[in-house]
Amino acid sequence: MSRASTTTLALVYIFVTLAGSCSRATGGALQEAFYKGKCRTADVEVVVGGVIRAWFSRDPTIAAALLRMQFHDCFVNGCDASILLDGKNTEKTAVPNLSVRGYEIIDAAKAVVDSICPGVVSCADIIVMATRDAVALSGGGRYIVQTGRRDGTVSLAKNVNLPAPSITVSDSIKAFSKKGLDSTDMVYLLGGHTVGIAHCSLFRDRLYNFQNTGKADPTMDSTLLNTLKARCPQNSTVDNTVNLDQNPLSSMTVDNSYYRQIILHRGILQIDQELALDPLTNPTVTAIAKGFNFSTGFGQAMVKLGAVEVLTGTQGEIRRSCRAIN
């Protein structure tokens, strides 16, 4: 969710063109340590990790920003960095993506990597590596990512069709299934809401006119309801924000606190609360909330997300600038 934008870095790009076709792969060509031996003596993941640590030290909220960026990229045309492309009608301009941030972070990592081995590392892989590093720095555990993606050349706002905050659990399961992700993956990936924020406009209906009843959502904890009404007045022209994880001690930590909160009827978005209420997902939510292996499950789900409809081999290209096709 949107927070104050981070400082833009001045970047110099080294131009090397590696163009190809734009057909889609299944993700089978991805592999761990794909760049080993391909960037002189440098370890690409260590290089990217150093950039992310520097940004995180100034702004820990980049974890939520990068998680959102990866999800929004992978869910539209697959994990091909199409969300990074600038233009009048690119994915960036679609309403759900207007509050996506973190582009400068990807630019910074790309510039450092390309200063060592230009034209080798894709922007799509940088998104995945950067997100993993930000999650680890936020206490979420360090999962092993697969790399070898190529960058896409198509980015259209009209292709952006992301699950809405008010989507039903069954419809959400169908949407994730179309991407090769099962209901357990979905529950873990929505656990990314353990960090980040939501604008009042995304859940105000739950406070004042739930499903056109003229009343609040009866499933919401009464104390939380009063707190949110104070933060989000019914007719306010200011679109305030609240933490998606309502545990103040954990709202900046990638952990299972989000699941414990929704079990207590303290979910912010409708889909968050429905995860805990719907019999299709309640058992998974309960198991994660009571368990101790959230980091493992979350990492596995992120790896599966990162393999959605990827370009590999000679497909796509390695962009010179993450913001433009070659």
Side-chain angles (χ1 to χ4, degrees):
M1 295 295 166
S2 175
R3 284 190 188 266
S5 62
T6 45
T7 304
T8 303
L9 297 181
L11 301 172
V12 177
Y13 293 101
I14 301 172
F15 289 81
V16 175
T17 303
L18 289 171
S21 64
C22 207
S23 55
R24 294 280 157 181
T26 61
L30 296 180
Q31 62 187 67
E32 296 174 8
F34 173 82
Y35 293 108
K36 186 176 182 179
K38 294 182 174 68
C39 191
R40 300 182 182 178
T41 59
D43 185 325
V44 170
E45 294 189 31
V46 171
V47 172
V48 172
V51 174
I52 302 309
R53 278 193 300 275
W55 280 80
F56 186 88
S57 67
R58 299 191 298 269
D59 180 14
T61 70
I62 69 168
L66 292 173
L67 278 167
R68 188 162 182 249
M69 178 188 288
Q70 182 179 338
F71 181 81
H72 282 221
D73 181 45
C74 293
F75 233 72
V76 181
N77 280 356
C79 308
D80 64 351
S82 53
I83 195 172
L84 302 180
L85 292 173
D86 289 337
K88 290 183 178 180
N89 298 300
T90 60
E91 291 174 27
K92 271 185 180 178
T93 66
V95 172
N97 289 337
L98 293 178
S99 56
V100 171
R101 68 185 184 92
Y103 301 113
E104 297 89 350
I105 304 170
I106 305 303
D107 290 340
K110 174 69 169 173
V112 175
V113 170
D114 271 13
S115 71
I116 303 170
C117 51
V120 173
V121 182
S122 69
C123 302
D125 276 343
I126 291 174
I127 291 175
V128 170
M129 290 184 280
T131 302
R132 182 274 307 276
D133 292 331
V135 167
L137 290 166
S138 300
R142 184 178 176 83
Y143 51 92
I144 298 174
V145 296
Q146 296 176 323
T147 44
R149 296 166 191 79
R150 304 267 289 181
D151 298 321
T153 57
V154 177
S155 180
L156 298 171
K158 67 180 183 181
N159 291 338
V160 176
N161 183 22
L162 295 161
S166 59
I167 193 172
T168 65
V169 169
S170 59
D171 283 345
S172 185
I173 289 173
K174 292 175 185 176
F176 277 75
S177 178
K178 290 178 181 178
K179 303 299 178 182
L181 302 165
D182 60 30
S183 61
T184 299
D185 298 324
M186 180 189 79
V187 173
Y188 271 110
L189 291 172
L190 286 173
H193 290 172
T194 185
V195 289
I197 59 175
H199 285 269
C200 295
S201 55
L202 294 177
F203 59 86
R204 186 176 276 112
D205 62 312
R206 296 190 67 209
L207 311 182
Y208 301 102
N209 189 27
F210 183 63
Q211 297 180 347
N212 295 317
T213 60
K215 300 178 181 180
D217 184 343
T219 68
M220 184 178 288
D221 172 74
S222 59
T223 301
L224 175 62
L225 175 62
N226 292 331
T227 299
L228 294 180
K229 281 186 172 181
R231 181 69 175 162
C232 306
Q234 186 168 12
N235 298 313
S236 175
T237 57
V238 178
D239 199 10
N240 287 328
T241 59
V242 301
N243 289 329
L244 284 164
D245 182 350
Q246 281 293 298
N247 176 358
L249 300 178
S250 183
S251 60
M252 295 289 288
T253 304
V254 177
D255 59 12
N256 66 346
S257 172
Y258 158 84
Y259 302 95
R260 295 196 294 269
Q261 289 295 304
I262 62 177
I263 285 176
L264 294 172
H265 298 268
R266 294 176 58 82
I268 299 299
L269 302 179
Q270 186 175 337
I271 183 58
D272 292 339
Q273 193 54 65
E274 290 297 325
L275 284 182
L277 299 174
D278 196 297
L280 292 173
T281 48
N282 171 269
T284 304
V285 169
T286 302
I288 298 172
K290 293 182 178 180
F292 300 94
N293 63 345
F294 165 74
S295 292
T296 300
F298 184 71
Q300 291 170 345
M302 287 298 293
V303 170
K304 285 187 68 174
L305 174 66
V308 171
E309 298 172 6
V310 296
L311 298 169
T312 56
T314 59
Q315 301 164 337
E317 63 183 17
I318 303 297
R319 287 186 208 143
R320 298 185 293 255
S321 163
C322 291
R323 295 174 180 261
I325 61 175
N326 294 341

